[in-house]
């Protein structure tokens, strides 16, 4: 093999290496992260739907009405000049 062929193959392998590790690997990682985020978002939406469905089946819980404290309560009135 001639020196020029070895030099040419070295350049080709170097460019191929840079293409794979500087383009394909980051694109694959980003694609995987985006898919995972979409999956998580879909799961959260499903959980919210299930909670809403359960909330509609059960009667709303009654909150005890709170009475204002009795005693030394003075109603505040704003004084405008």
């Amino acid at each position: 093999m001639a020196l020029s062929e070895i030099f040419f193959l070295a350049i080709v392998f170097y460019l191929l290496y840079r293409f794979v590790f500087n383009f394909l690997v980051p694109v694959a990682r980003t694609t995987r992260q985006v898919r995972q985020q979409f999956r998580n978002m879909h799961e959260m939406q499903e959980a919210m739907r299930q909670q809403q469905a359960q909330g509609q089946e059960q009667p709303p819980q009654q909150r005890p009405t709170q009475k204002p404290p009795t005693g030394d309560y003075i109603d505040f009135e704003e004084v405008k000049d």
Side-chain angles (χ1 to χ4, degrees):
M1 233 198 274
L3 186 59
S4 61
E5 290 178 14
I6 294 173
F7 186 68
F8 176 74
L9 288 176
I11 291 174
V12 168
F13 283 128
Y14 174 73
L15 292 175
L16 184 63
Y17 170 83
R18 288 196 36 107
F19 175 74
V20 167
F21 287 102
N22 290 338
F23 181 73
L24 290 181
V25 171
V27 167
R29 286 182 183 167
T30 303
T31 302
R32 187 178 334 126
Q33 287 177 349
V34 169
R35 284 182 182 168
Q36 183 66 36
Q37 289 174 351
F38 274 114
R39 250 184 250 121
N40 291 342
M41 187 172 55
H42 182 69
E43 289 173 1
M44 286 180 11
Q45 287 176 348
E46 289 297 321
M48 288 176 59
R49 285 187 191 127
Q50 288 177 356
Q51 287 177 354
Q52 288 175 353
Q54 288 176 355
Q56 290 174 356
E57 293 172 1
Q58 298 174 355
Q61 296 179 355
Q62 297 290 333
R63 292 185 186 173
T65 57
Q66 295 181 353
K67 297 180 183 177
T70 57
D72 295 333
Y73 180 75
I74 300 172
D75 192 21
F76 176 77
E77 294 182 16
E78 186 175 335
V79 178
K80 294 184 180 180
D81 292 326

